Amino acid sequence: MGLVPMADILEKANDEYYAVGGFNINNMEFLQGIIWAAEETNSPLILQASEGAIKYIGMDYVINMVKAAVRDTHIPVALHLDHGSSYEVIMRCIREGFSSVMYDGSKYPFKQNIRLTKEVVKAAHSVGVTVEAELGKIGGTEDDVDVDEKDAKFTKPEEAEEFVEKTGVDALAIAIGTAHGVYKGDPELDFDRLEKINSSLNMPLVLHGASGVPDEDVRKAVSMGINKVNVNTAFQQAFTAKIKELFDKDPELYDPRKYCGPARDAISEAVKEKIEILGSKNRA
Ligand code: G3H
Ligand code: ZN
């Protein structure tokens, strides 16, 4: 099966009340660990690459590794640009074959975010590519996206309605108390805000920065209308913890396959757990 538009995956999730993982790829082991876990659990999957990951891996490698990964798969997979910062980056990803893009205009004032997002939607929809946008501002750090806690802004429900109506986006990332990266304290999710946003918008909502959010809060958010849950840091931690453990046991290790292989398996285990929590198991 080739890549599918993210909208197809999220439309089904929205109709059937579950969420699909937007899982970030950082290298080949991440890609394999993630897709193997999704195949084993028969789950749809959104593979996402940030601009930082594309820079690190290289665009050709991202595209061709993902093509190789989905060539014989039986599950629906979308390839999604995570936190696209400009029209130019987005056009490049669309030209290269991404089936979905996120335009993150959250750093701009409301009206400007609408205007810029609308331009992206027009171009992407003309070639069948899905668009996710962000309204409000999610705190924390992910690659080049760095938002100080004091600058984070919760999504306003009344603005969300206007934003979606004027831009025509397919999925909306909302700020309800999560943050990118490692949490300093326990995150406190504003479920009332989620309820208000979801009741006025019958469309897929996206939860970013889900790594340090307790499982029961993720489950609750999914039951209240979240259909895409983004995770990166937790899988990076699982990968690195396994490598540290192996080096603690045997500091003489030198063959990368002997530690990257088990670290890839550690990602698979962590992905399978997330898939259970999101309810996307056996929904392929
Ligand atoms: O866009 C990607 C995610 O929001 C990942 O966030 O690294 O905190 O899990 P995380
Ligand atoms: Zn994010």
Side-chain angles (χ1 to χ4, degrees), residues 24 48 82-83 142 179-181 207-211 230-234:
N24 288 68
Q48 50 190 28
D82 191 25
H83 293 282
E142 189 188 11
H180 290 122
L207 191 70
H208 281 243
S211 283
N230 284 9
V231 182
N232 185 20
T233 303

